[in-house]
């Protein structure tokens, strides 16, 4: 179940209540007259089955509630009520398949913010991966993949394409471009410093590296893994399964590829720099396209299921 808190002027309260009553799966409808102070108005509370959450929010937005009031949505972990159980059964579709598009857009908008924290994580992940590729260490590579924040903007591109939010597409692409550019530049300096300290050596990059050599060998499997990761990551976002998202993060080679490109660039090894850049670009494109197609498929399947059930 989802819990909705709506603040609306008193003159729109009845219309709001009527609208919510018309949404299948609505239960525990409560009105608190004059309880809101900023903005002033009445507070309307209700629980809605997750599969009807998107309909409820869209209906309220069509009324203009988001303009003259506010709408807040949060997950309800447990509801002990036979009436609520009946309300969930009345709602069309399955809760596990429901996508809250406004919530998804908000999540990806936050994840694609070009902030100091985002750049810090990108830089830390890439420098850690640089140590991994030079030492051919799988533990460091996996750790770098896990803390890399680049999937957020990639998911944002997919959501923005499906929702036709062109400004969000540009925002996410800028976030990715600047993030990788800063991370690679800092990693080049890091690699030069490590070389000056005698901790990195050029031959470490050109020797046989059984664990990380795949980074400079983009092939059809790179495309396949990127597509599968894009699908899995998108599904994990829409179903709020963060554990699955961590698994996605450590299955793609965006961060290690950027790190290898940076280290190779610091040694003037342009062949590896180009190969690593190709690996990076291939993964970015595959994840974005797969994520977009997954969201389109989810939207189509959800509408088709709702139509059959109606």
């Amino acid at each position: 179940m989802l819990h909705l808190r709506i603040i609306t002027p008193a003159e729109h309260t009845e219309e709001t209540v009527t609208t919510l009553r018309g949404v299948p799966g609505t239960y525990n409808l409560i009105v608190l007259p004059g309880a809101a102070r900023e903005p002033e108005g009445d507070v309307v509370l209700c629980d809605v089955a997750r599969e009807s959450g998107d309909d409820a929010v869209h209906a309220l937005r069509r009324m203009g509630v988001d303009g003259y009031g506010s709408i807040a949505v949060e997950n309800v972990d447990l509801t002990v009520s036979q009436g609520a159980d009946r309300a969930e059964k009345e709602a069309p579709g399955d809760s596990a398949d429901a996508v809250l598009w406004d919530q998804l857009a908000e999540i990806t908008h936050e994840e694609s913010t070009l902030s100091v924290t985002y750049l810090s994580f990108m830089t830390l992940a890439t420098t850690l991966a640089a140590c991994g590729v030079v030492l051919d260490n799988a533990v460091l590579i996996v750790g770098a993949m896990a803390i890399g924040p680049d999937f957020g903007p990639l998911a944002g591109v997919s959501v923005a394409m499906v929702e036709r939010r062109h400004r969000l597409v540009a925002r996410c692409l800028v976030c990715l471009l600047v993030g990788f550019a800063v991370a690679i530049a800092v990693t080049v300096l890091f690699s030069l410093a490590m070389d000056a300290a005698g901790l990195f050596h050029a031959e470490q990059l050109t020797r046989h590296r059984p664990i990380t050599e795949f980074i400079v060998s983009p092939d059809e499997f790179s495309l396949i893994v990127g597509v599968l990761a894009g699908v899995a990551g998108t599904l994990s976002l829409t179903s709020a399964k963060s554990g699955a998202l961590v698994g996605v993060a450590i299955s793609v080679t965006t961060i290690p590829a950027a790190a290898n490109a940076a280290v190779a660039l610091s040694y003037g090894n342009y062949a590896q720099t180009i190969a690593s850049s190709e690996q990076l670009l291939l993964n970015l494109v595959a994840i974005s396209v797969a994520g977009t197609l997954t969201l389109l498929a989810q939207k189509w399947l959800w509408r088709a299921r709702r139509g059959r059930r109606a």
Side-chain angles (χ1 to χ4, degrees), residues 149-164:
D150 53 315
F151 188 80
L154 287 171
V157 171
S158 298
V159 173
M161 292 292 290
V162 173
E163 293 288 279
R164 299 180 182 179

Side-chain angles (χ1 to χ4, degrees), residues 25 81 167 243:
S81 169
R167 290 186 178 180

Side-chain angles (χ1 to χ4, degrees), residues 204-221:
Q204 290 177 301
L205 199 65
T206 55
R207 67 178 180 177
H208 177 55
R209 294 180 290 162
I211 295 176
T212 58
E213 211 164 48
F214 71 93
I215 296 173
V216 292
S217 304
D219 54 17
E220 60 273 12
F221 285 104

Side-chain angles (χ1 to χ4, degrees), residues 226-240:
V227 169
L228 294 176
V231 174
T234 303
L235 290 175
S236 71
L237 278 178
T238 56
S239 60

Side-chain angles (χ1 to χ4, degrees), residues 36-288:
R37 293 294 178 266
E38 183 56 45
E40 290 188 1
D42 298 340
V43 176
V44 180
L45 307 173
C46 71
D47 293 335
V48 179
R50 180 179 173 84
E51 49 268 45
S52 294
D54 201 55
D55 291 339
V57 173
H58 282 186
L60 293 170
R61 294 189 69 177
R62 283 195 297 270
M63 289 173 50
V65 175
D66 56 325
Y68 55 70
S70 73
I71 307 167
V73 182
E74 56 187 7
N75 290 311
V76 178
D77 295 327
L78 175 64
T79 300
V80 182
S81 169
Q82 293 182 0
D85 292 340
R86 287 193 298 271
E88 284 192 302
K89 292 179 181 179
E90 292 173 0
D94 298 317
S95 61
D97 297 331
V99 179
L100 301 178
W101 291 99
D102 287 295
Q103 183 185 52
L104 185 60
E106 181 66 23
I107 292 173
T108 53
H109 185 276
E110 292 178 0
E111 292 292 328
S112 60
T113 299
L114 189 59
S115 62
V116 174
T117 301
Y118 172 82
L119 293 176
S120 298
F121 272 111
M122 282 290 290
T123 302
L124 289 170
T126 309
T127 52
L128 181 61
C131 297
V133 297
V134 170
L135 299 176
D136 197 35
N137 188 303
V139 174
L140 296 178
I141 292 295
V142 171
M145 290 177 175
I147 66 174
D150 53 315
F151 188 80
L154 287 171
V157 171
S158 298
V159 173
M161 292 292 290
V162 173
E163 293 288 279
R164 299 180 182 179
R165 303 187 182 191
H166 304 299
R167 290 186 178 180
L168 183 56
V169 173
R171 173 193 177 97
C172 294
L173 291 177
V174 168
C175 189
L176 280 171
L177 179 61
V178 175
F180 276 111
V182 170
I184 290 174
V186 172
T187 304
V188 168
L189 298 177
F190 174 77
S191 178
L192 292 173
M194 294 290 280
D195 180 75
L199 299 174
F200 280 9
H201 305 285
E203 57 270 18
Q204 290 177 301
L205 199 65
T206 55
R207 67 178 180 177
H208 177 55
R209 294 180 290 162
I211 295 176
T212 58
E213 211 164 48
F214 71 93
I215 296 173
V216 292
S217 304
D219 54 17
E220 60 273 12
F221 285 104
S222 302
L223 178 62
I224 292 171
V225 170
V227 169
L228 294 176
V231 174
T234 303
L235 290 175
S236 71
L237 278 178
T238 56
S239 60
K241 294 187 181 295
S242 58
L245 190 56
V246 173
V248 171
I250 62 178
S251 65
V252 293
T253 56
T254 51
I255 295 295
N260 200 93
V263 176
L265 185 62
S266 70
Y267 284 117
N269 189 334
Y270 300 118
Q272 283 205 23
T273 300
I274 293 174
S276 300
S277 300
E278 290 175 351
Q279 181 78 271
L280 173 62
L281 183 61
L282 184 61
N283 274 267
L284 294 176
V285 172
I287 293 171
S288 299

